[in-house]
């Protein structure tokens, strides 16, 4: 069920995000909730998201222990980080420092069950990268978050 807090989260992210792709994908995620707390992966048609496909990654959430398996990694994310996570776990894909940051953020989005937005500037592979990212929870059963849709857009300073 949609809650005022979730509606405020969505409105805040749309207001804060600088990149139009992030604004559009958050608005689409909100539309696909259709009064529910979270949409499911099945609610999304890739044709509706053609504008964002290179910016999107999908992660399955596994528990005991908590791990994130990348189902699909967007091509622009692969270009930015220099690694394709598709079919791999987050901890197998990134150096320990960056993995720790991503794992904390993913876990917060899953545990809180709400969309999150960050603007980051991080050292990665010998260079400083600046990007915006949204983490959008999804649920196949409506009871728990079991997937994250992550949209990330680089800032080319």
């Amino acid at each position: 069920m949609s809650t005022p807090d979730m509606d405020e989260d969505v409105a805040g992210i749309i207001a804060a995000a600088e990149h139009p792709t992030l604004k559009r994908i958050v608005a689409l995620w909100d539309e696909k909730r259709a009064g529910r707390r979270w949409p499911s992966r099945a609610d999304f048609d890739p044709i509706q998201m053609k504008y964002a496909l290179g910016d999107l990654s999908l992660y399955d959430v596994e528990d005991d222990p908590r791990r994130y398996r990348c189902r699909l990694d967007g091509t622009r994310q692969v270009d930015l980080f220099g690694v394709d996570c598709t079919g791999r776990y987050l901890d197998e894909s990134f150096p320990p420092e960056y993995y720790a940051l991503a794992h904390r953020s993913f876990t917060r989005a899953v545990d809180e069950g709400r969309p999150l937005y960050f603007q980051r500037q991080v050292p990665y592979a010998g260079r400083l990268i600046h990007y915006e990212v949204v983490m959008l929870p999804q649920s196949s059963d409506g009871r728990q978050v079991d997937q994250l849709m992550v949209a990330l857009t680089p800032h080319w300073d």
Side-chain angles (χ1 to χ4, degrees):
M1 163 177 269
S2 185
T3 65
D5 288 343
M6 187 78 77
D7 294 339
E8 288 175 19
D9 289 343
V10 168
I13 291 170
I14 291 172
E18 294 178 14
H19 200 287
T21 295
L22 296 184
K23 292 176 183 288
R24 286 179 69 187
I25 204 70
V26 171
L28 180 65
W29 178 87
D30 190 43
E31 175 189 319
K32 296 296 183 180
R33 285 191 309 135
R36 299 168 294 170
R37 183 158 179 158
W38 312 290
S40 73
R41 179 173 168 254
D43 293 323
F44 293 90
D45 180 350
I47 292 173
Q48 288 181 302
M49 305 182 315
K50 281 178 22 179
Y51 62 91
L53 291 180
D55 300 312
L56 292 176
S57 294
L58 296 175
Y59 285 87
D60 292 327
V61 178
E62 297 181 5
D63 285 314
D64 300 320
R66 175 70 57 86
R67 290 182 86 191
Y68 301 96
R69 185 178 178 281
C70 185
R71 180 181 291 265
L72 172 72
D73 204 6
T75 55
R76 284 187 285 276
Q77 291 188 34
V78 171
D79 291 345
L80 181 64
F81 290 101
V83 61
D84 185 349
C85 300
T86 303
R88 298 167 60 194
Y89 286 97
L90 191 63
D91 58 304
E92 298 170 340
S93 302
F94 292 105
E97 306 80 31
Y98 188 77
Y99 161 73
L101 175 67
H103 189 270
R104 277 192 311 273
S105 301
F106 283 26
T107 298
R108 183 174 157 210
V110 171
D111 290 349
E112 293 179 12
R114 63 189 189 95
L116 297 179
Y117 166 80
F118 300 98
Q119 216 181 92
R120 292 195 165 134
Q121 188 168 314
V122 297
Y124 185 85
R127 61 195 165 96
L128 195 60
I129 58 173
H130 182 199
Y131 61 89
E132 290 182 279
V133 61
V134 292
M135 297 166 190
L136 304 167
Q138 297 179 333
S139 176
S140 58
D141 64 8
R143 293 189 305 269
Q144 69 178 24
V145 174
D146 55 14
Q147 192 169 70
L148 284 177
M149 178 169 33
V150 178
L152 187 147
T153 57
H155 283 224
W156 303 109
D157 300 322

